[in-house]
Amino acid sequence: MSEGSTAALLTFAGYTISVFVLAILSNRVGKGKDFVGEYFLGSRGFGVWAFALTFAATNASGGSFTGFPALIYTHGWTLALWIAAYMVMPLVSMALIGKRMNQIARKTNALTIPEVLRARFESSAVGLVATSLLIFFMFFYLLAQFKAGGIILSTLFADEPLFQSAVSYVRQMTMNIPWVSQAEPDYLLCLILFAGAVIIYVVYGGFRAVVWTDVMQGIVMFVGVILMLGMALWQVGGLETATRKLEKMIPPEHGTAILSTASASNVDQTFAKGTWLFDSGNVFRLGELATIPKGQSTTEPVKILKITTPFEIEELNTKWKAGRIADTGLRVKVTKLEAYEYGAGQTGTYVSNPGPDSANELGFLAVGTAISFFIFWPFAATGQPSNMVRLLSFKDTRTLRYSIVTVAIYYSIIYFALIIIFCCARVLMPGMEIAPDQTMPAFAAQLTQDAGIPWLAGLLVAAPFAAVMSSVDSFLLVVSSAVVRDIYQQHVDRQAPEKMIKILSYSVTVIVGVLAVLCVLNPPQYLQDLIVFATGGLAACFLIPMLLSLYWPRMTANATIAAMLGGTGMHMGLTCWGYLTSQEFRAYSFLGVNPFIWDLVGSLAVALIVLAIGPKPNRDLVLKFFHDASASRG
Amino acid sequence: MVQEHDPPVDPVYKSSLRELKWIFVIWLLHFVWVVGYCCAFGYPPPESELITVLGMPSWVFWGVFVPWISATLISTWFALTQIQDHELPDSLPAALATRSDTQTESGT
């Protein structure tokens, strides 16, 4: 058992124990308080650190620590422009609607986003439409985050002998169970471990446990990123060196090759994905598992990556000749090579826009895309119900103000550090284009190994795990609160006793979690696209209706329903259009503009049309939400 | 719609609306700065010389890093000095809220 893998196991064990301790504590703190308010909103009593870090951690989902590093590694410094709108995101997503929404939620005792909209117009129809759309889109989110949690854990435990024994046991146990047996046993085991931990602490501790664990996870993420930044800059020789080397790099080439040995063997020979191959001065990396069957001396064509940067080829050849990279003795006969659509054979593409791209001839970040992302990030974040619901939980406006400052500083450090870290990774760790999503754990392992402190890898890899966990717990609670509070309490039994609500809340949380696990045993092929679909869909559905409901006295229930359906309809329409034109589950960018902007235009246009032809707003509601009745009484 | 004898405008609504307008202005300012600068200097022709500032490409420094610091400082200033504090109402007890909802609906 290696020191690193033991550390990984200990880190996970320590981390899980901490999470359960926090759940137990929060359960004790919540005793004696109104159950629904405590379970779904922590009794609206969170101060600056708790509120700021739960907001930051929920927003920084698994994508920030898996997908984002992969993009930086693959496309270089252009990701600084891609993510630049995060500079204003804390201000926009917290201050734009925070104070006003919290006020209305308190005035009406609303605990969920559909409830805020329902109470604002005293309309069950508004609440029902909002709840239905929220559950529909939010479920895709849950699926993606559960899958990410399972994958990160399986990477963390991959070399652990105890884990491998457990995997063998799971394989035997599940081989005859339909549907379940199709899942990889290591992934299945990790998915069950991850989901079990999250469901138990959410059920036991409710929103307060979610917030407290978010605080811990926020700290873990911060510490992990800072440690990685220091080690990456030290090992690369400073940022100037990293950027200068990055400038000289040429995008690699993807392709296929037939591998051969000098003579046939009497057993199957397998070569793991990621194996380095050296032939006639060229350097390749294996993109998938390759097998030479017994009695034969060649493989079928397998995926390979050809390194094209001269100094990388030289360094790798030197390491190979010095015995620091294993010699497979394989010959490589290339059968197909595909150059990047943008940036092939060029230097300087990793340090400028639009950045190299293997599939897009315009590069990764064309000007129009850069503009779209500066609009998309802050406003799409504002429209996410998981963020909105946090804005219902702060205890006073001072907490909101100081939390904006905290999150602004937190994001500045985390996201800029991530860009620098993974630009360094591109220089220090060649060939990760074969599995870009593994860049973060692989680089953590390499950095700590090279620094002579392999035990630290466990802590660094805990950062993305914390990010995924903090998102899953929030989404789980948003979905279950929508079912219990917005459907059962509003439409089935308004006078349900607290004991019944308690049992129902726990049951729905468990059922939603188990359903999500069953769905991601065999994740759909286009899961990543489904996440984009869900993010855009939620913002398209909720941003405009919420903004107009909070700030425009003329807004009506009919217009709110129309805006939600209009945004959703536009989102669905553009997604169908995209599928018909490109056969990919991706919304169509009409006139080259980000589909999210069209969604907002659609939502707003429909709302304005309905307002123009529909009835005027209820005057009592306008007085209730836009005037200060207490002042006139005084 | 507003009538002469209506109670005064809700102060939380009034200040939130003012803050909303300023947030849009701050976002727009940084949008123009970042996108404008990066479009002008961050898309150089191939083979052009790389200029770095503090180890990062100069377009990143002036087009992303400096505005990021600016946005953080402005967000801090805005949150600490321009967002107005208000006494937010206390939530109603759940049972009371449910009763009042029922009454409202039956009354309309």
Side-chain angles (χ1 to χ4, degrees), chain A residues 499-575:
Chain A
K499 194 178 173 189
M500 178 65 192
I501 295 297
K502 210 177 213 177
I503 293 169
L504 199 65
S505 302
Y506 293 156
S507 311
V508 170
T509 309
V510 173
I511 290 168
V512 170
V514 171
L515 270 179
V517 169
L518 288 175
C519 288
V520 290
L521 284 179
N522 295 295
Q525 190 184 352
Y526 299 117
L527 196 61
Q528 187 57 40
D529 292 331
L530 285 178
I531 300 169
V532 177
F533 170 76
T535 321
L538 284 166
C541 176
F542 287 105
L543 182 60
I544 295 291
M546 185 57 83
L547 271 177
L548 296 182
S549 301
L550 297 179
Y551 289 108
W552 202 19
R554 280 205 60 197
M555 193 62 174
T556 62
N558 289 344
T560 303
I561 293 173
M564 285 191 282
L565 294 177
T568 306
M570 181 65 89
H571 189 66
M572 301 284 227
L574 288 174
T575 306

Side-chain angles (χ1 to χ4, degrees), chain A residues 229-498:
Chain A
L229 178 67
M231 281 192 284
L233 284 174
W234 175 61
Q235 289 187 20
V236 84
L239 188 56
E240 180 75 30
T241 311
T243 303
R244 291 285 168 198
K245 280 193 167 180
L246 212 50
E247 186 203 6
K248 292 179 189 149
M249 297 186 99
I250 299 167
E253 293 175 8
H254 291 273
T256 55
I258 293 170
L259 312 182
S260 57
T261 53
S263 57
S265 167
N266 56 1
V267 288
D268 285 352
Q269 294 179 73
T270 57
F271 301 92
K273 179 180 180 178
T275 302
W276 286 103
L277 307 164
F278 299 84
D279 192 343
S280 312
N282 291 318
V283 181
F284 306 90
R285 199 166 193 200
L286 203 49
E288 61 185 334
L289 182 79
T291 305
I292 300 178
K294 65 179 176 183
Q296 295 182 25
S297 58
T298 60
T299 63
E300 292 291 308
V302 287
K303 287 182 193 166
I304 51 141
L305 182 83
K306 186 184 181 193
I307 305 297
T308 51
T309 301
F311 77 82
E312 280 188 317
I313 295 170
E314 196 183 321
E315 281 174 12
L316 287 164
N317 269 310
T318 307
K319 282 184 184 173
W320 173 57
K321 284 169 188 163
R324 288 163 60 198
I325 296 178
D327 185 5
T328 59
L330 290 169
R331 301 301 305 268
V332 181
K333 185 184 172 195
V334 175
T335 51
K336 189 174 78 177
L337 270 183
E338 285 179 358
Y340 270 39
E341 287 288 326
Y342 182 90
Q346 289 177 28
T347 57
T349 53
Y350 286 102
V351 293
S352 62
N353 296 303
D357 198 297
S358 60
N360 189 345
E361 61 184 17
L362 297 174
F364 173 72
L365 195 67
V367 172
T369 318
I371 292 171
S372 298
F373 272 106
F374 209 96
I375 302 168
F376 178 79
W377 289 125
F379 293 105
T382 310
Q384 298 304 310
S386 55
N387 287 343
M388 285 186 188
V389 79
R390 266 145 184 72
L391 296 172
L392 307 185
S393 71
F394 60 80
K395 68 175 179 189
D396 51 30
T397 48
R398 184 185 170 277
T399 301
L400 175 68
R401 293 192 297 111
Y402 281 85
S403 298
I404 291 169
V405 177
T406 311
V407 178
I409 295 170
Y410 185 89
Y411 275 0
S412 303
I413 295 171
I414 289 257
Y415 283 98
F416 219 85
L418 283 172
I419 297 166
I420 294 173
I421 291 167
F422 291 98
C423 279
C424 295
R426 186 65 194 80
V427 174
L428 290 170
M429 192 176 62
M432 278 309 291
E433 284 88 351
I434 57 159
D437 283 346
Q438 300 286 320
T439 301
M440 163 76 190
F443 194 49
Q446 179 174 320
L447 280 177
T448 51
Q449 196 89 36
D450 290 352
I453 39 176
W455 54 268
L456 195 60
L459 180 65
L460 298 186
V461 179
F465 184 71
V468 174
M469 215 172 196
S470 64
S471 297
V472 169
D473 55 21
S474 312
F475 298 156
L476 205 53
L477 218 50
V478 168
V479 175
S480 53
S481 67
V483 174
V484 174
R485 185 79 177 162
D486 303 325
I487 295 179
Y488 188 81
Q489 274 196 296
Q490 291 301 328
H491 301 282
V492 180
D493 184 1
R494 295 175 71 88
Q495 303 295 334
E498 185 173 291

Side-chain angles (χ1 to χ4, degrees), chain B:
Chain B
M1 177 173 291
V2 178
Q3 294 178 6
E4 198 183 335
H5 301 295
D6 280 351
V9 174
D10 184 326
V12 177
Y13 164 61
K14 201 174 169 182
S15 70
S16 299
L17 191 61
R18 184 187 68 88
E19 289 153 16
L20 174 137
K21 290 170 187 167
W22 278 108
I23 290 165
F24 271 116
V25 170
I26 293 169
W27 171 81
L28 191 64
L29 179 81
H30 287 90
F31 172 78
V32 172
W33 181 352
V34 172
V35 174
Y37 190 92
C38 290
C39 287
F41 301 103
Y43 289 78
E47 309 299 326
S48 51
E49 190 196 352
L50 173 70
I51 301 163
T52 58
V53 182
L54 294 182
M56 54 189 101
S58 69
W59 67 266
V60 175
F61 183 82
W62 295 111
V64 181
F65 186 69
V66 174
W68 203 310
I69 290 172
S70 152
T72 306
L73 291 175
I74 291 176
S75 297
T76 302
W77 165 79
F78 189 80
L80 296 183
T81 65
Q82 298 301 304
I83 295 181
Q84 219 171 315
D85 270 334
H86 293 279
E87 196 69 38
L88 294 171
D90 284 330
S91 293
L92 298 168
L96 183 64
T98 312
R99 268 203 304 280
S100 90
D101 286 352
T102 317
Q103 284 160 4
T104 310
E105 284 195 358
S106 58
T108 49

